[in-house]
Amino acid sequence: MKTLYKNCTLIDGTGNEPINTSFTVEDGRIIEIGDNLKADKEIDLDGKYIMPGLINSHVHITMEPIGDPFVLIMNESDAKAAIRGVKNLKKQLKSGTTYFRDLGASNGVDIDLRNAVNEGLIEGAEFKCARSVVTMTGGHGWPIGREADGVDETRKAAREQLKKGSDLVKIMATGGVMTTGVEPGSPQLSMEEMKAAVEEAHKAGKKTASHAQGTQGIKNAILAGIDSIEHGLILDEEAVDMMYENNTYLVPTLVAPYVIVEKGVEAGIKKDSYEKAVSIMESHIKSFKMSYEKGVKIAMGTDAGTPFNTHDMAWMELKLMIEYGMKPMDAIVSSTRNSAELLDILDDYGTIEKGKFADFLILDENPLENIETLSKINTVYKKGVKVK
Ligand SMILES: [Zn+2]
């Protein structure tokens, strides 16, 4: 059955100015966009705004956003982690994220959740996932990691993730905020170690993402050929130039340290995580601004699952991007088209264009004027089906 959605203001995700138009959907895909269209059923969207579903490039779907999420990960069974994942998948979808990328989970629980969504066993946003992160012994994220030291071992660690069904390989270039005893600024896996893992992913036609916060580690990851720098907390001009020249994506995850600082130790956040987040706040914002001004490609990611960074807060990331100087249209393109490009799904997702899947949001207000309207989305459609 073909459905006509008529008289809406369409923000198509390509960066084009909004237009007043109509479109039809059949078998989950956008069939036509324009005026005077005919269909079996009509939905009048007079006064409403339509945009593509959000694509979150950095999520931990099995992680519970409490003060210390790693404590749960290390003490709970995989079955319990999967149940949390099922709950969070629903939350992501109903808050307007119709596709995402999971960047680290224990024991392959993410793989099973991904497959369960694809098989229609559970309701949720579709997603790509990295499985275990490749990290040095004791390195950042080791509770959800495959520890590896030396070039041969990181190569093998990457091959293992691919063998077990990962869609990409996640590599830890530096320390981080949430792992006790490691500093966000310090390099971890070497350039050579990362390069071996990147080679394996690329040979298999898969992408790579690097948790990279400090300047040297970021540069090491870029030189290793990484596809995206996650966080990028402490960038200098040279690092920004390198990202620009190598077409490396930045996924800034602005909301992650923001909520840690906002909630504080009283809320149950570990003292050292809180102090690390406070110390990098200023340079994080500066790094984001420098990258945006230079024209580095930016994709939206929240790092959902870190403390109080809930699975329905993508709107907050867009709000911060705009607060820190990004044009509202660019924030929307980052969160739709650019994320789709980074995830290698642009042929089918990320914009509202003829032939693509009908993943879209109905909004009561113009998001270009009030981005917070994304925190109260009217309706969410996933492949042409109303899910909220
Ligand atoms: Zn993360």
Side-chain angles (χ1 to χ4, degrees):
M1 191 180 71
K2 197 199 268 186
T3 307
L4 171 64
Y5 298 85
K6 63 177 193 181
N7 302 325
C8 62
T9 303
L10 177 67
I11 299 164
D12 67 8
T14 65
N16 288 338
E17 285 306 307
I19 50 165
N20 291 307
T21 192
S22 303
F23 59 96
T24 58
V25 172
E26 191 171 25
D27 296 329
R29 291 193 187 257
I30 311 277
I31 305 297
E32 309 129 308
I33 302 172
D35 300 321
N36 306 316
L37 303 174
K38 295 263 174 294
D40 310 306
K41 187 184 158 194
E42 288 188 9
I43 295 175
D44 192 1
L45 295 176
D46 191 26
K48 304 287 185 206
Y49 294 82
I50 303 295
M51 63 171 276
L54 298 169
I55 301 177
N56 190 335
S57 302
H58 193 139
V59 168
H60 298 278
I61 202 67
T62 57
M63 234 154 83
E64 199 59 34
I66 55 167
D68 186 1
F70 280 161
V71 163
L72 283 185
I73 284 175
M74 289 188 286
N75 292 297
E76 285 188 343
S77 67
D78 293 343
K80 190 73 179 288
I83 292 165
R84 291 189 189 283
V86 170
K87 181 199 71 172
N88 294 334
L89 275 162
K90 209 172 255 189
K91 219 169 184 179
Q92 288 282 355
L93 183 64
K94 293 191 191 291
S95 61
T97 294
T98 50
Y99 209 114
F100 68 89
R101 185 172 71 162
D102 193 280
L103 287 188
S106 300
N107 303 326
V109 173
D110 51 343
I111 302 274
D112 288 326
L113 286 168
R114 176 199 66 193
N115 296 348
V117 170
N118 291 343
E119 288 163 27
L121 289 175
I122 52 173
E123 187 186 30
E126 289 171 281
F127 67 104
K128 290 199 166 184
C129 57
R131 208 175 177 278
S132 300
V133 304
V134 179
T135 187
M136 68 176 202
T137 296
H140 181 61
W142 64 263
I144 54 167
R146 154 61 157 101
E147 292 171 303
D149 304 293
V151 169
D152 289 344
E153 237 187 284
T154 52
R155 188 181 298 283
K156 189 167 187 182
R159 285 176 178 169
E160 280 172 11
Q161 306 317 309
L162 296 164
K163 179 186 177 189
K164 289 173 180 167
S166 79
D167 300 300
L168 75 148
V169 176
K170 164 104 177 272
I171 306 162
M172 306 312 237
T174 69
V177 170
M178 275 170 50
T179 306
T180 299
V182 307
E183 281 306 315
S186 61
Q188 293 202 337
L189 285 173
S190 70
M191 195 278 280
E192 291 77 16
E193 286 170 318
M194 289 191 273
K195 199 170 176 202
V198 170
E199 270 172 19
E200 292 308 313
H202 286 176
K203 277 197 299 191
K206 306 280 170 76
K207 288 223 165 138
T208 56
S210 178
H211 163 98
Q213 302 191 331
T215 319
Q216 189 53 51
I218 290 167
K219 290 177 185 171
N220 291 345
I222 301 166
L223 291 172
I226 209 84
D227 297 291
S228 65
I229 294 293
E230 307 294 316
H231 319 300
L233 303 184
I234 314 165
L235 292 168
D236 63 8
E237 220 162 289
E238 188 187 36
V240 170
D241 287 345
M242 286 168 74
M243 291 180 74
Y244 182 78
E245 278 151 28
N246 289 283
N247 258 323
T248 315
Y249 258 100
L250 174 68
V251 181
T253 69
L254 297 168
V255 70
Y258 180 88
V259 284
I260 290 178
V261 171
E262 197 188 50
K263 292 282 179 182
V265 180
E266 315 80 68
I269 291 165
K270 288 189 298 179
K271 193 162 170 277
D272 67 317
S273 293
Y274 171 75
E275 283 167 357
K276 283 189 256 181
V278 169
S279 75
I280 54 78
M281 203 67 181
E282 202 178 312
S283 95
H284 192 193
I285 297 167
K286 190 172 152 240
S287 299
F288 169 74
K289 286 182 172 171
M290 275 167 65
S291 306
Y292 179 55
E293 278 158 24
K294 176 79 191 178
V296 170
K297 288 183 169 181
I298 296 175
M300 185 274 285
T302 61
D303 211 359
T306 55
F308 303 101
N309 189 355
T310 54
H311 289 272
D312 54 3
M313 266 171 63
W315 68 274
M316 183 83 173
E317 182 72 18
L318 282 96
K319 187 175 178 245
L320 291 175
M321 284 170 149
I322 294 167
E323 219 169 277
Y324 302 152
M326 198 179 230
K327 288 187 190 133
M329 182 60 95
D330 291 341
I332 287 176
V333 172
S334 280
S335 310
T336 55
R337 190 217 163 272
N338 284 3
S339 288
E341 183 178 76
L342 175 62
L343 269 61
D344 268 340
I345 54 169
L346 189 56
D347 286 347
D348 284 316
Y349 303 87
T351 61
I352 299 180
E353 292 179 286
K354 202 178 149 186
K356 293 209 180 183
F357 282 121
D359 287 3
F360 63 92
L361 314 176
I362 301 178
L363 307 171
D364 295 326
E365 286 176 75
N366 185 352
L368 297 169
E369 282 162 16
N370 177 20
I371 203 68
E372 286 192 37
T373 189
L374 285 173
S375 68
K376 34 187 195 285
I377 295 169
N378 183 307
T379 311
V380 179
Y381 277 88
K382 177 71 189 159
K383 289 186 171 170
V385 177
K386 187 174 172 176
V387 291
K388 189 223 161 178

